[in-house]
Amino acid sequence: MGEAKGGRSAQLKHTGLRSGWTTGACATAAATAAYTALLTGDFPDPVTITLPRGQTPAFALAVEDLAGGRATAGVVKDAGDDPDVTHGALVRVTVRRLPPGSGVVFRAGPGVGTVTLPGLPLDVGEPAINPVPREMIRDHLTRVAAAHRGTGDVEVTVSVDHGEEIARSTWNPRLGILGGLSVLGTTGVVVPYSCSAWIDSIRRGVDVARAAGHTHVAGCTGSTSEKTVVAEYGLPEIALLDMGDFAGAVLKYVRRHPVERLTICGGFAKLSKLAAGHLDLHSARSQVDRPFLARLARRGGADEALAAEVAAANTGLAALRSCQAAGVPLGDLVAVAARDEALTVLRGSPVAVDVICVDRAGTVVGRSAVR
């Protein structure tokens, strides 16, 4: 596993959680060790690399193979205390000499995907090794070449054991990255529970949908709301954004990269948080504002007894049921307020927005007009 210089993966201040290393950092370490062995006959173990922000982690090698004019090194990814699906995956890199002037050529080995749709920061047909990891690998191979009189002209094949299976639980298939995982990382460090990978996937989803010519996309809080949007509008999978709790991430990115229409669909309670001005809908970071719901209910015709019942409700769904029984359209009022909050975040960007609220069964319990 990757270890920080002088010890294990770094401990995050104030949280007690260990940070870890990205797939890109692991691939850089493996590539550095493999090319060093190709030029010297010996694998450095552990192998130390320098990350974009100056950290110098050292990685133990799990695989070493030198034969037939090529060298392979492998590193087991340590994602620290982050619930990363690639934690524990074996990242292998094989380095092979190429003729002078070839530069560094990247290949996707087993378990690493290939780009098949436009809109990503890589051309169609390229291995899904993102720009920053590519630059990290090139920089380190240049240093190895300078230290050991190499030319730096090599083929670099990155593989991840069981990567194709792991990729099924990521956004890659929807983004048109087929055959495996992406090699990711902008800093080389995985910050536990930072959710940066999820937010990056939202952004790439918008990019891919736009590049494919889709003018209507939907940010959905989960699979139930995705099914609702498909039933309502017939949107293809490529136009569905797995928004989760990150409504703000969707709105801020669409503000900078507009589409003609954005539908936001999710559970009533979550979208009531957006209606009340929260852009992070996670239960640990925002709560259902029952007094706010009571004010909306009054606006919809609730008397003081019903408003008090809403304000005292145990859950958002309980508040909704009370209003439904009284004929007060709280679901619609929440949808309209959520739409208006979304438009506020969009700051005049030319995007039409509508909101659909559903219950746990996927039944539509509120909607706004498109505006």
Side-chain angles (χ1 to χ4, degrees):
M1 291 189 182
E3 294 191 350
K5 187 175 182 180
R8 295 183 178 180
S9 299
Q11 195 86 5
L12 291 181
K13 293 180 180 180
H14 311 304
T15 68
L17 298 176
R18 285 190 315 119
S19 59
W21 313 117
T22 64
T23 313
C26 296
T28 300
T32 301
Y35 192 33
T36 301
L38 193 62
L39 295 179
T40 69
D42 293 316
F43 288 88
D45 188 11
V47 56
T48 300
I49 63 171
T50 302
L51 300 180
R53 294 181 179 173
Q55 302 101 316
T56 54
F59 296 79
L61 298 184
V63 172
E64 299 178 8
D65 183 41
L66 177 60
R70 65 186 65 208
T72 300
V75 169
V76 175
K77 178 173 176 176
D78 178 7
D81 290 328
D82 192 70
D84 189 320
V85 293
T86 57
H87 176 71
L90 179 58
V91 181
R92 303 174 189 256
V93 177
T94 298
V95 177
R96 180 175 70 89
R97 287 188 179 93
L98 292 178
S102 299
V104 178
V105 178
F106 291 95
R107 305 289 184 206
V112 170
T114 298
V115 176
T116 67
L117 293 175
L120 296 171
L122 298 166
D123 291 336
V124 171
E126 281 290 309
I129 304 169
N130 274 20
V132 171
R134 288 182 185 229
E135 191 61 30
M136 289 170 59
I137 291 171
R138 286 193 191 97
D139 286 348
H140 282 77
L141 297 187
T142 297
R143 297 176 199 175
V144 172
H148 302 292
R149 298 182 179 179
T151 66
D153 301 293
V154 291
E155 177 186 77
V156 176
T157 302
V158 183
S159 307
V160 180
D161 285 16
H162 310 295
E164 186 167 7
E165 178 182 347
I166 296 169
R168 296 190 189 110
S169 62
T170 73
W171 271 52
N172 276 16
R174 185 172 292 181
L175 296 176
I177 298 172
L178 303 183
L181 294 161
S182 302
V183 178
L184 302 172
T186 55
T187 65
V189 178
V190 175
V191 178
Y193 297 94
S194 69
C195 304
S196 59
W198 194 322
I199 291 171
D200 186 64
S201 293
I202 289 172
R203 294 168 178 165
R204 299 294 78 78
V206 173
D207 292 343
V208 169
R210 280 165 45 95
H214 293 290
T215 58
H216 183 186
V217 302
C220 304
T221 59
S223 59
T224 299
S225 51
E226 283 193 352
K227 291 175 184 175
T228 300
V229 166
V230 171
E232 289 280 326
Y233 301 121
L235 292 180
E237 186 177 56
I238 196 175
L240 303 178
L241 308 173
D242 187 3
M243 178 177 75
D245 295 313
F246 303 108
V250 171
L251 292 166
K252 291 172 187 177
Y253 198 72
V254 169
R255 182 175 70 208
R256 300 192 302 272
H257 306 272
V259 292
E260 288 184 14
R261 182 174 175 185
L262 169 66
T263 295
I264 296 174
C265 184
F268 169 82
K270 279 190 183 294
L271 294 190
S272 77
K273 298 178 186 181
L274 175 61
H278 297 288
L279 299 183
D280 185 337
L281 310 183
H282 194 280
S283 59
R285 296 181 288 273
S286 61
Q287 302 297 320
V288 173
D289 187 338
R290 289 184 290 274
F292 168 76
L293 292 181
R295 291 194 295 274
L296 285 184
R298 287 190 188 93
R299 192 181 306 167
D303 59 22
E304 285 306 310
L306 178 57
E309 185 177 340
V310 169
N314 289 330
T315 65
L317 187 59
L320 174 68
R321 296 302 185 217
S322 295
C323 287
Q324 286 176 324
V328 174
L330 184 60
D332 291 338
L333 293 165
V334 163
V336 169
R339 179 204 62 194
D340 292 347
E341 181 63 27
L343 290 170
T344 297
V345 177
L346 287 169
R347 297 179 188 171
S349 184
V351 180
V353 179
D354 68 303
V355 171
I356 300 175
C357 299
V358 297
D359 64 14
R360 292 190 180 96
T363 302
V364 174
V365 296
R367 66 171 74 233
S368 76
V370 182
R371 177 177 163 190

